[in-house]
Amino acid sequence: MPTFAALALLLFAAPAFASTHDPSGPVFLSLAVMLLGAKLGGDVVMRLGLPAVLGELLVGVLLGNLPLLGVTAFEALRTDAFVDLLSRVGVVILLFEVGLESTVGQMMKVGRSAVAVALIGVATPFALGWGAAALVLPSASPAAHAFLAATLTATSVGITARVFRDLGREQSTESRIILGAAVVDDVLGLVILAVVSGAVAAADAGEGFPLADAGRSLFAAVAFLGGALIIGRYLPPTLFGFAARLKARRVLVAFGLIFCFLLAWAADLVGLSPIVGAFAAGLVLEDVHTHDLATRERQNLAHLVEPISDFLVPIFFVVMGLRTDLSMLASPSVWVLTLALVVVAIVGKLVAGLGAFGKGLDRLTVGLGMMPRGEVGLIFAGVGATLTLRGAPVIDAKLYAAVVLMVIVTTVITPPALAWSIRRRAASAPTPSA
Amino acid sequence: MPTFAALALLLFAAPAFASTHDPSGPVFLSLAVMLLGAKLGGDVVMRLGLPAVLGELLVGVLLGNLPLLGVTAFEALRTDAFVDLLSRVGVVILLFEVGLESTVGQMMKVGRSAVAVALIGVATPFALGWGAAALVLPSASPAAHAFLAATLTATSVGITARVFRDLGREQSTESRIILGAAVVDDVLGLVILAVVSGAVAAADAGEGFPLADAGRSLFAAVAFLGGALIIGRYLPPTLFGFAARLKARRVLVAFGLIFCFLLAWAADLVGLSPIVGAFAAGLVLEDVHTHDLATRERQNLAHLVEPISDFLVPIFFVVMGLRTDLSMLASPSVWVLTLALVVVAIVGKLVAGLGAFGKGLDRLTVGLGMMPRGEVGLIFAGVGATLTLRGAPVIDAKLYAAVVLMVIVTTVITPPALAWSIRRRAASAPTPSA
């Protein structure tokens, strides 16, 4: 314990030593603090029977709000561009890992459920959200109502994927339906975002409805997913067959990451979230493709990605927590709007769970798994903040604060709610065979 | 092959798709291109019997100089802050890995040789460099001569460590002497840099010699290394004993990295290179410390760090190559100075190899292993470029170009020269038992 007290003292005194001769010096302190915090936070919540990811998020919230307590040592973490990008690499690695543990065939089995869940899970929060926003904020523009509604359609599957994995249930039907629905959801959310922002821009310019933009977005998204499935059949055998002929050692991890990063980038290019590309990359990379290498390197790609994931994934969840500015809670009007958005966000996705079908399936677990908005909701709100209508931003500072709080609440309540729901089923029903 | 042609076309056409909605999109393309280039480059040079690291450097040089051929697709890579910091994390991981493969006891055995090699390897290039600079550039200030000489004292051990590992010789006496000497060298280089820049600043202000600054730097550096050895005896058992009691799974990698990053940051804090801290962290983390975890997690830390190293280390070497601006070769005066600096850089460190002693030891291999200046030399030149004497920078654009070229040449010739020297010995002498 004295060692830890000394370590804690050192960490908090650290910024006093201003002069560093290498730009990476402070980065190493940030990484060490985030990893240590993530492990300590994970340990505390796990002792309470909750998934580790919640502890990582809460440690992030704590680190991000230390300035409120007068401790400014880690203030820079929240806006650090390197930490931000590294966390995005982290969530891409997480979805790649999740994808590696599934196959296209398994996803196809849950395809119809996934599409139904996604459609209901986009339509319901959008309609309810528009209504709730109009009710709570009658003075705001219809564009603002539509944008608030659009932020409610997003699903950020990173947290859900992590909870299922923390509980050893990533192979369950519910987990697959949610992952599939999140992919469809990302496509639909993209179309809605394109339509709403196009409509706002057209209204601001006094023009008509931009149907062409919406059509183009939908086409790009569908083409990407179709393309990923086709590429998945032909590229990995070529890529890994080629890698197997290389003289260089330890090529399996490198080629797995190359494929993952290329698809993450391609997804972003067509306007989808990079995590959709990473998930698709993991999904299509079945073991058969890496077989030539596996016999030589005697290791499985999913297993090799684990240490990279152990390093980068906690960084992502700590950063998600870091972004939470608790000082926004000072405004009462933010509370009312936040409450309305949170209710719609939860109800809208719980209803979506009803779209899932299959024997012994738990629709409540599916609905709860669709709840977190995470970084996708934040991206939508960010777009709304940059759009203007008659000179004023569509999403102003208070609306933005309410959206951020809604994202936080849906993100923070998901791990315990989902863990409770999964355990409840596991206790009351026989475990399906793996 | 058509798949690869399509992939290549896609990569080069990529920047045409300007709009991306996530800031991480282009990052994933950069990472994929660097990793793919590193593996392809490594394969080509390995077929020629050279270490893979040379191929990674040359692919970096190629990517960095595509603008000279009119291809601007990857121009941003050279100055990308994220890629730069990620590459610094990469070299820290490499030295941590190298440190994990050694123990304090093994390093102590070569201690006297390492100190002798480092002392000669700093004094010789400094004296010869000052003389050569005064001879080639009689019109430049003594401050410039001293600074050019100082850049020649640095040793960047990353490349050497990698070559020894590529050839499976990281456990050899020569490898240990070089690593030990590099640590001592970093301390001495730091003192020289502090003395020279202090003298320039004092001369510019019309003051006397800053002996106090030099003393303080030396004290900080020695205190760090002594501290690391003491911390290494007490902190890891506490840290890993604590980690073993955590509920969180897969904690071994996280706690290894936390320790590595804390020491990298602490090294930077006292003015040493972060890689010295990372090497010290790996060195003191002997398996006995992680034993409690190892029995539960059934894996060895060095083995778990491998995939992280497979991901990040090639990024470092590609970035080292990227920095090489071949257009500087257009100036003849740069050539003359570069030639003088290169000769002194090589001769100075080959002489240093004579300081090594031990039965069956190859002093030529030790000398060749001390040659690369890498990023340490570039840091020194960067400091010189920011210092001014009577209004003009001490190291102007041309001197800087010559230093950069000297760094490149010593860095690029080391892998083949070292590989040749190691193989020559292996062929003529019986292999020592592992």
Side-chain angles (χ1 to χ4, degrees), chain B residues 299-365:
Chain B
Q299 271 184 310
N300 163 298
L301 186 54
H303 180 70
L304 284 171
V305 172
E306 272 186 18
I308 301 176
S309 147
D310 289 349
F311 170 24
L312 296 178
V313 174
I315 304 283
F316 173 73
F317 290 108
V318 171
V319 168
M320 292 267 287
L322 275 175
R323 300 268 162 75
T324 316
D325 184 354
L326 295 180
S327 69
M328 292 186 301
L329 295 174
S331 163
S333 69
V334 170
W335 280 92
V336 176
L337 180 57
T338 302
L339 191 67
L341 291 178
V342 166
V343 170
V344 172
I346 295 173
V347 171
K349 293 292 184 183
L350 287 182
V351 170
L354 299 177
F357 42 90
K359 214 172 68 179
L361 191 79
D362 186 19
R363 294 187 177 80
L364 181 59
T365 298

Side-chain angles (χ1 to χ4, degrees), chain B residues 180-199:
Chain B
V183 172
V184 180
D185 199 317
D186 216 41
V187 175
L188 295 174
L190 168 75
V191 174
I192 288 192
L193 185 67
V195 172
V196 173
S197 33

Side-chain angles (χ1 to χ4, degrees), chain A residues 168-243:
Chain A
R169 307 280 298 182
E170 66 270 44
Q171 298 298 331
S172 67
T173 311
E174 288 86 355
S175 171
R176 291 221 184 85
I177 290 176
I178 293 168
L179 288 170
V183 172
V184 180
D185 199 316
D186 216 40
V187 175
L188 295 174
L190 168 74
V191 174
I192 289 193
L193 185 66
V195 172
V196 174
S197 33
V200 170
D204 200 39
E207 287 167 13
F209 189 79
L211 198 62
D213 283 0
R216 203 178 304 131
S217 298
L218 182 62
F219 175 78
V222 172
F224 173 78
L225 292 171
L229 288 180
I230 296 167
I231 286 175
R233 192 170 291 265
Y234 300 104
L235 183 58
T238 313
L239 192 66
F240 286 90
F242 173 77

